[in-house]
Amino acid sequence: MADTQYILPNDIGVSSLDCREAFHLLSPTERLYAHHLSRAAWYGGLAVLLQTSPEAPYIYTLLSRLFRTQDPDQLRQHALAEGLTEEEYQAFLVYAAGVYSNMGNYKSFGDTKFVPNLPKEKLERVILGSKAAQQHPKEVRDLWQTCGELMFSLEPRLRHLGLGKEGITTYFSGDCTMEDAKLAQDFLDSQNLSAYNTRLFKDVDQEGKPRYEVRLASVLSTDPALDSELTSKLKSYEFQGSHFQVTRGDYAPLLQKVVDHLEKAKAYAANSHQEQMLAQYIESFTQGSIEAHKRGSRFWIQDKGPIVESYIGFIESYRDPFGSRGEFEGFVAMVNKAMSAKFERLVESAEQLLKELPWPPAFEKDKFLTPDFTSLDVLTFAGSGIPAGINIPNYDDLRQTEGFKNVSLGNVLAVAYATQREKLTFLEEEDKDLYTRWKGPSFDVQVGLHELLGHGSGKLFAQDEKGVFNFDQETVINPETGEQIQSWYRSGETWDSKFSTIASSYEECRAESVGLYLCLNPQVLEIFGFQGADAEDVIYVNWLNMVRAGLLALEFYTPEASSWRQAHMQARFVILRVLLEAGEGLVTVTPTTGSDGRPDARVRLDRSKIRSVGRPALERFLRRLQVLKSTGDVAGGRALYEGYAAVTDAPPECFLSLRDTVLLRKESRKLIVQPNTRLEGSEVQLLEYEASAAGLIRSFTERFLEDGPELEEVLTRLATADARFWKSPSEAQSGQA
């Protein structure tokens, strides 16, 4: 059997996402709007399979064929007859549910591969003896032969997502290195093209020189287009001695289905902002234009307080090893009015709270653009995983000048962060009851501050294409050096493109630090309904949760590559290091032995020193983070951030050794079962599923009832068309012979 860090345990937590009450409060028109947006999101979400690993589309297709022909209960009888034990069949169901939940065979949170926890030959018997194989023997056998070996392989390079020798990724062809990624980013910057909706494919010409294809995601490929600005860029370039070709058409059949449902949703839009937003998204996905997606995002920002909220596109860059390419994501949700009222009060206080952040006014946006901030009950979240909160759009230029929106996903928080006392690790016994009681409420506060005032704060110093600066070079002083500003963002440069591999984690760290810092403010706690002793408990548990999370983060560190696999967890480890460095016994991490005789550890936080020791340490750190970000000081930012993110065995914590303890005691992240919507006549029905691996599988089988076979063909066709880019040289040569 595989190492436990590469399997999903049979007893993994599975929860159903409850949005019944919010959905039933929608009008018939709002339900139709939500339904078609959900369909668009689910179809687009399938593109994540093609963004994850070479084998992911084949694994998904194989599972889809199996469960479309026999549901989990029917397949169980066949599996037991083939000699599987109940535990082995349950392991297969958990694996299949994991593939559906993560949209691939790598965990969305940590980017670690997971494999079936049963013998390969037993699974092969189940697959090749299934009803799907009886009906289509060649197709099922071909699928198994294509992905069976890779499904189980834990060859070192395949254990994690990464670039070059560090891991596997399908954002880049297999022979790309970090140097290729940097060259491609410089090329994209030179042409003022965004990397968000691209992939990079590298070939070598007859003279041995590299040739790069930058492929945009779009419905159209070579067809003529109305967007002459973009079509003029679809051509060959010579750049720094290398050949680049800009093409489009990535994920075209899937994006066509996205566009079809966005068109249908437009008929049920509540206002002109929504209509224009959807029109621009349609343009973006059809043409491959990020500029059109930006225009759509502008209308989205202006659509204040909608009953049905949504966002869709190539959004978060966490899983691109270089940090620039966005994973497809789409969500649809309904407003939770009670919690949203608290967030509205937080927004009203935002301008005053921003003044408390520890950097000079010149480092803050010229004007706080009052955002929407709502608590939502999620109906649909398509992609590789569901976050607790979101601050979007991620386009720096829009965030600085047009604004943004914040959302807290209330029903996701309710299931994903529910805490059972008996499963709590690394805490003192006397802290566990307090932690269990206040973890949820403290997380509401942290998410609110993180999204609104963390991601929503701070200015980027920039010079536009005309040479105009957005700050006064003569008067603005760097508080760290006492000198005038020496660096900034040039035209075409963005936060992601400059800080690349550390950009996501650095920004998450800044937002988390803002949340910890501002949760000490009594006004903030009063907004959320906490005063006196309760408020102090919320502060304590919020800080305690962060330092515990910093220790748990070690699961997502890879010693062999000295690298982190998850931006949020790296950020939390950095904060733990900052608070440990504050000294005076504020935080201690002590290795111990558990009651079972195995290695264990305890995290302690001295609540009496949070304000006197913790706050000043966090203040200094936050100011440095913001100054380096504002000035685009990549060298300084890397030195600071990577210094804190280093994992060594230096005493007293000995984090490298503690990592083994964390892996020993880790609990797998829950799987979340989402509902479906189905159009019956002119009415939209909500379909819900049991909280189990089998329920999650059924939700996906029923999600694509009408066109399951067509989607399976599309995914395998798209994966096969690019398969040569991930073959070894010997495989590629034999394939050409």
Side-chain angles (χ1 to χ4, degrees), residues 363 365 396-397 400 458-463 470-471 488-489 493-495 626 629-632:
F363 285 73
K365 293 184 179 74
D396 293 332
D397 49 350
Q400 295 283 314
K459 179 174 181 173
L460 301 185
F461 296 147
Q463 182 182 26
N470 69 345
F471 66 101
W488 50 84
Y489 295 79
E493 291 182 332
T494 67
W495 164 249
Q626 183 56 51
K629 180 181 179 182
S630 288
T631 58

Side-chain angles (χ1 to χ4, degrees), residues 627-694:
V627 168
L628 293 163
K629 180 181 179 182
S630 288
T631 58
D633 183 351
V634 179
R638 281 193 176 278
L640 172 71
Y641 199 71
E642 291 174 347
Y644 278 113
V647 179
T648 71
D649 242 352
E653 290 82 24
C654 305
F655 282 121
L656 264 183
S657 297
L658 271 176
R659 179 178 177 273
D660 295 333
T661 303
V662 170
L663 290 174
L664 181 69
R665 302 280 178 182
K666 79 183 182 81
E667 182 184 0
S668 293
R669 192 172 174 85
K670 288 180 182 176
L671 303 179
I672 297 180
V673 184
Q674 298 187 54
N676 282 321
T677 55
R678 181 176 295 163
L679 191 57
E680 295 182 0
S682 60
E683 293 188 359
V684 179
Q685 303 297 325
L686 183 72
L687 306 178
E688 298 173 286
Y689 302 88
E690 67 178 22
S692 67

